[in-house]
Structures are given as structure tokens and as C-alpha cells.
Amino acid sequence: MSTTSYHHGNLSQALEDAATDLARAGGPEAVVLREAARRAGVSATAAYRHFAGQQDLLERVKQRALGVLAERIGAALAQIPSDGDVTDAAQARLIAAGRAYVDFARTEPGYFATAFRRTGAEAAEGGSADPEHRDLWDDSAFRMLGTILDGLVDTGVMPADDRPHAEYAAWSAVHGLAVLLLDGPLRHMPPADQDAAIDRTLRLVVDGLIGGRGTGTGAGHGA
């Protein structure tokens, strides 16, 4: 937990840092502007000069959490060798991304919950559908998933006709698993069984997308 108080630096950044600590420890419900101000060593009045309210601060922390998730996925993808079989690598990239996603949820449950909390700013947009899915396509992690799936098509293991909307199916499976491991009945499973469930789910996602067309040598169980 951060105990650093603001002195003469960037107060907005100090408040965001304090709010991030709150989110990581207690999830989105813990992100309270007054508490962030207290931790930064300033008054609530000073904090309100930088954030309109709690939802404004929560939105900032949410975007930071999504950025960290994208960084974790990017780091996992960087570990996949680029000099091997291209079809194996394409499948391994999808498994690595899925594993990084679930690992982020398991190691940073509060941050993970904050990343996917609907904020006041989003609620204010109303219920009308955005045909461009702007909020999704602005998400770096979601764009990475799209690129990975495009790679499956490029290597020939995934038919181009199966590509549309595949990201939603893959994302739903992995996110659902993460939630079950955090807040559902799977949280009671021994760690080894949780790992096995992760391996099995990711393999099913890959197999479902490629329809048995891949070799599976580079993206096997536990990859």
C-alpha cells in the first residue's frame, strides 16, 4: 500500500496512484475520492479540482487497469518464438494471451474487477448500441486479440469465413473462466485443478476456432 503523500508534484497523478492502490486492494468499490485525497495528503476540495467526482476517478483507474492487462498480454506474446512453425506460433499466441488474461485476474483480482466495472461515464452514454463498438476497439487488449485471430486466418488454420465475431466467443470463454476462478465455485478448487481447467479451456478455445486444422505441436496443453 502506498503511503507517499503529495507535496509539489502532479496532484492528479498522485490521486490516480492512490486510487489505483485502493482498487488493487479492494476492487472498484474501494475507489473513493476522499480516501484517495487523504492518502495523497491533500483535502477533498483539492481533489475535486482535478476530478469531477468518484466516477471520474474510477474511470481513470479503469483505463489504467486495462492498460496493465494489455501490457501483461503483450509480454506473454513476446515470449512466443518467431522462428518456428507459423501455424504452431499462431495457436501458441492465442493460448499465451488467454493465459496472461486469466493470470492477471488471479494475481490482481481487485484490479481485474476494476478493469471491467461499468463507470458512470459509460452509463451516461445511454443504452443505444454503438455500431462501431468504439469502447472495445479502443481497448489495446481487445485489439491484440483481433490481431491474433487474424494471424490464425493468415496461416491457414482458421477459415476466413469463421473469422467474423470470433473475438467475442474467445473473449467470453476466457473471461467467464476468470470470473469463475475468482468469484465462482472454481475458486475452491486446488491450484493444480485450477491450472488444469485453464489448460483445458484454452485448448478448447483454440480447437473450436481452428476446427482441428492445426498441428497442435506448438500450442499444446499447458503451453
Side-chain angles (χ1 to χ4, degrees):
M1 179 182 297
S2 174
T3 58
T4 301
S5 297
Y6 164 78
H7 293 291
H8 300 289
N10 186 329
L11 178 53
S12 177
Q13 183 69 47
L15 291 167
E16 187 177 325
D17 289 344
T20 297
D21 288 342
L22 291 169
R24 293 180 69 183
E29 293 82 4
V31 180
V32 178
L33 187 58
R34 287 183 176 275
E35 177 60 19
R38 187 189 69 79
R39 293 190 177 204
V42 299
S43 68
T45 301
Y48 278 107
R49 297 193 186 103
H50 294 270
F51 294 95
Q54 179 173 334
Q55 290 298 309
D56 190 20
L57 180 60
L58 178 60
E59 176 64 26
R60 189 77 63 85
V61 178
K62 171 179 177 172
Q63 294 305 317
R64 180 185 281 197
L66 287 170
V68 173
L69 172 59
E71 290 173 1
R72 297 282 185 89
I73 294 174
L77 296 178
Q79 300 301 311
I80 304 300
S82 58
D83 56 354
D85 182 88
V86 293
T87 59
D88 286 351
Q91 295 174 67
R93 285 171 60 82
L94 181 56
I95 287 182
R99 185 175 298 283
Y101 190 103
V102 177
D103 284 347
F104 178 68
R106 296 170 83 190
T107 59
E108 293 279 8
Y111 220 14
F112 179 80
T114 303
F116 295 99
R117 169 58 59 90
R118 189 184 188 196
T119 64
E122 293 169 323
E125 293 175 357
S128 59
D130 181 353
E132 299 299 327
H133 302 288
R134 177 186 54 78
D135 56 335
L136 292 178
W137 292 110
D138 285 348
D139 181 349
S140 296
F142 188 75
R143 291 200 307 271
M144 286 181 187
L145 174 58
T147 300
I148 292 169
L149 295 178
D150 289 342
L152 291 176
V153 174
D154 292 341
T155 57
V157 295
M158 181 179 177
D161 289 346
D162 292 345
R163 173 63 183 87
H165 309 304
E167 56 266 53
Y168 305 121
W171 184 17
S172 297
V174 176
H175 186 83
L177 175 63
V179 172
L180 287 171
L181 288 169
L182 290 183
D183 300 318
L186 298 190
R187 72 184 186 277
H188 300 302
M189 292 172 61
D193 290 341
Q194 290 189 0
D195 289 338
I198 295 169
D199 289 342
R200 183 61 173 152
T201 300
L202 296 177
R203 189 66 249 175
L204 284 173
V205 168
V206 173
D207 290 347
L209 290 172
I210 67 177
R213 294 173 178 82
T215 64
T217 57
H221 301 284

